[in-house]
Amino acid sequence: MTVEAVIFDLDNTLINRKAAFQAYSERFIDQFVELSEQTDRAALLDYMREADQDGYRHKRELHEQFLQELTMKYAETTVDELLQFWFAEFFKSTVLMQGAVELLMALRSQGIKLGLITNGSVHTQNAKLDQAQLRDFFDVIVVSDEVQIKKPDQRIFELALERLGAAAARTWYVGDHPVNDIKGARDAGLSAIWLSGFMEWDDTLEEPSAKIGSLLEILDIVNR
């Protein structure tokens, strides 16, 4: 097919959210957590990563858990202070996925339209985009909280296609989440590329149109 557009997920697709949360957790511990000589820092980081649930945990609930279960340096610390730290600092830990900029530049040089669909808050997702200096690559950016539709609802994919002026049958979608990204995109009629390495594939789902382990593999798929 002639490719009109490629639409991307953001977290764990163009940016490495897993690595970003690790870096944020290190800063959070240094800022708020009282450590003893017996503290296993690696185990503490694993605990925080598991509690975060790859970003699918509500942030107030997550930080309430941290406040209740971790020993804070200051007894008067509140969950609102922790949340303020999150919104002020997390985006600063943004880590680009290897090959992301090279891929986007190559696709644009071929005249392919580029879109982005991401679940999350307007503030946080836009802050990550600006920190990573990715915004100018995209013709269309759709953030779930802004449009009040979340992946895997096919309407958010249809909205992005409409704004791009691209046909679903000539558009690829790239993401890491088997349901939110791959199933959602396929339900909307797009061809879907699954980026492996972050989430386990759900064997009850129809296979993706293509499976990759690194972003630059997309160029071969688009140029076939």
Side-chain angles (χ1 to χ4, degrees):
M1 71 174 180
T2 301
V3 178
E4 283 188 277
V6 179
I7 304 176
F8 292 87
D9 172 45
L10 181 60
D11 291 310
N12 288 335
T13 299
L14 291 176
I15 62 172
N16 191 326
R17 190 192 180 281
K18 185 176 181 180
F21 189 79
Q22 172 91 3
Y24 168 79
S25 297
E26 295 274 12
R27 296 169 67 186
F28 180 93
I29 290 168
D30 292 340
Q31 180 77 13
F32 293 107
V33 181
E34 184 69 41
L35 302 178
S36 69
E37 293 181 0
Q38 290 73 41
T39 300
D40 183 334
R41 192 178 181 99
L44 179 54
L45 289 166
D46 283 344
Y47 156 82
M48 294 180 69
R49 176 183 53 77
E50 290 175 8
D52 176 58
Q53 298 174 6
D54 288 322
Y56 291 97
R57 185 90 177 273
H58 191 280
K59 296 304 170 286
R60 176 170 288 275
E61 181 183 276
L62 174 65
H63 287 85
E64 283 175 346
Q65 178 178 331
F66 290 163
L67 187 62
Q68 292 167 6
E69 298 186 0
L70 301 177
T71 302
M72 296 287 128
K73 290 180 179 179
Y74 309 104
E76 64 273 18
T77 299
T78 67
V79 69
D80 285 336
E81 288 179 68
L82 301 186
L83 284 171
Q84 286 171 10
F85 185 78
W86 167 268
F87 286 113
E89 300 296 327
F90 179 63
F91 75 90
K92 296 176 185 177
S93 299
T94 300
V95 178
L96 271 170
M97 200 73 77
Q98 186 173 6
V101 170
E102 184 179 348
L103 170 64
L104 295 173
M105 289 177 67
L107 292 173
R108 282 199 72 89
S109 73
Q110 295 179 36
I112 294 172
K113 298 175 184 178
L114 297 180
L116 181 81
I117 303 174
T118 177
N119 285 352
S121 76
V122 175
H123 167 81
T124 299
Q125 301 307 84
N126 278 305
K128 291 177 194 174
L129 280 170
D130 291 333
Q131 182 73 15
Q133 298 182 346
L134 293 179
R135 181 179 300 280
D136 290 345
F137 285 108
F138 295 102
D139 301 291
V140 168
I141 295 170
V142 181
V143 182
S144 65
D145 278 9
E146 186 172 25
V147 299
Q148 293 299 294
I149 312 170
K150 293 181 68 172
K151 295 180 293 184
D153 190 324
Q154 69 184 63
R155 292 176 299 164
I156 198 168
F157 298 93
E158 292 165 351
L159 177 62
L161 288 169
E162 181 183 347
R163 291 180 177 181
L164 278 170
R170 294 185 177 181
T171 300
W172 286 96
Y173 181 84
V174 186
D176 71 296
H177 196 291
V179 175
N180 290 354
D181 291 318
I182 306 309
K183 184 178 186 302
R186 295 194 71 144
D187 286 348
L190 291 82
S191 298
I193 301 172
W194 180 53
L195 177 61
S196 63
F198 293 94
M199 301 197 75
E200 293 294 324
W201 182 257
D202 183 342
D203 290 331
T204 67
L205 298 175
E206 182 182 352
E207 287 291 310
S209 308
K211 174 183 174 181
I212 58 173
S214 62
L215 287 177
L216 290 176
E217 294 174 56
I218 292 169
L219 291 175
D220 289 334
I221 294 170
V222 169
N223 292 324
R224 282 176 189 166

